[in-house]
Amino acid sequence: MLSNSATPTLLRFTAYTVTLFIATAALPLLAEGDIILFKENGPIEWFQFGLLFITSAVFVGGALLVADFRTLFFLLAAITAFAAIRELDSFLHKLIPSTGWKIAFPLVLYALFLGYAKQEYFKRQLPQFFTTRAFAILWAGFLVAVPFGQLVGHGAFLQLVMGDEYNRDYKRVIEEILEVMGYVLLLIGSFESIVQLKTPRCGACQPT
């Protein structure tokens, strides 16, 4: 534990839980609207982009605030920024037909370069990061948004489950909702990462 008192942690996780409940409670309101909300380049997709963009910005803030884990925070910022741009694939394909969302690939190259050039720092930082609550939240967000969201929202699976009642719109709604929940967890995890890692840990220290 980074704090002798459990109260701050309890209050934070209460706030996280309330946030998720609010997001979940809002789903019926969205379902009452037109299905266009969940279409490519629709409001939900832009909301997902916003969640990932803010998450990336929080990680950049973490890099500036937590010098001991600066390299790790920049890596996480690059990954989430790439995911944010990838979320706008339809919009970017129309805006820049020649490249589309592939304009985000420099972020991948940066992440790979960072992983190689700063590997000595990662050897010290990652083992410590993996033991935090923040990592568990981020990993849960990834699982909800990617494997769970993609597999449960997979058309072939839903066709088997729903049979003649299957509608392709169901696939998009389920997939997009799960992605939103996953991205909310990623945003929560980004804030928790700063909270947990801001206390210096000598094993991860690096020059500022």
Side-chain angles (χ1 to χ4, degrees):
M1 294 291 291
L2 300 181
S3 173
N4 292 327
S5 173
T7 301
T9 300
L10 179 61
L11 291 176
R12 288 199 311 277
F13 273 76
T14 298
Y16 299 155
T17 303
V18 170
T19 300
L20 283 171
F21 267 108
I22 291 174
T24 306
L27 295 179
L29 299 177
L30 294 175
E32 290 177 1
D34 196 295
I35 194 66
I36 196 173
L37 290 173
F38 297 90
K39 296 289 187 180
E40 289 282 349
N41 200 29
I44 297 300
E45 188 171 88
W46 279 96
F47 180 62
Q48 293 170 341
F49 167 79
L51 288 172
L52 290 170
F53 178 82
I54 295 172
T55 300
S56 182
V58 172
F59 282 134
V60 171
L64 300 177
L65 293 172
V66 190
D68 291 346
F69 286 84
R70 180 166 294 163
T71 303
L72 174 63
F73 275 115
F74 275 134
L75 178 67
L76 293 172
I79 293 172
T80 48
F82 172 81
I85 295 174
R86 180 67 178 86
E87 198 62 46
L88 296 181
D89 55 341
S90 177
F91 171 77
L92 291 172
H93 179 70
K94 294 178 181 178
L95 183 66
I96 318 173
S98 58
T99 56
W101 65 269
K102 296 181 181 65
I103 60 171
F105 268 113
L107 291 168
V108 176
L109 296 178
Y110 170 74
L112 292 173
F113 168 77
L114 200 61
Y116 176 77
K118 303 290 185 178
Q119 54 186 303
E120 290 302 318
Y121 292 141
F122 283 121
K123 288 178 181 179
R124 296 193 294 270
Q125 294 176 6
L126 289 177
Q128 298 181 67
F129 179 58
F130 290 158
T131 63
T132 64
R133 292 184 299 268
F135 172 75
I137 296 173
L138 291 170
W139 188 248
F142 167 78
L143 292 178
V144 172
V146 182
F148 192 68
Q150 298 301 316
L151 293 176
V152 175
H154 187 55
F157 170 72
L158 293 177
Q159 281 182 301
L160 289 173
V161 173
M162 297 181 174
D164 294 337
E165 299 297 320
Y166 174 73
N167 184 314
R168 182 173 174 80
D169 289 337
Y170 297 160
K171 168 190 179 301
R172 175 158 293 279
V173 170
I174 293 173
E175 182 179 336
E176 298 302 317
I177 286 174
L178 288 173
E179 286 184 1
V180 168
M181 294 298 103
Y183 296 160
V184 170
L185 285 171
L186 290 180
L187 180 58
I188 290 172
S190 66
F191 283 109
E192 189 66 16
S193 296
I194 295 177
V195 172
Q196 286 213 273
L197 299 177
K198 67 180 180 181
T199 299
R201 298 180 175 196
C202 60
C205 292
Q206 63 181 62
T208 59

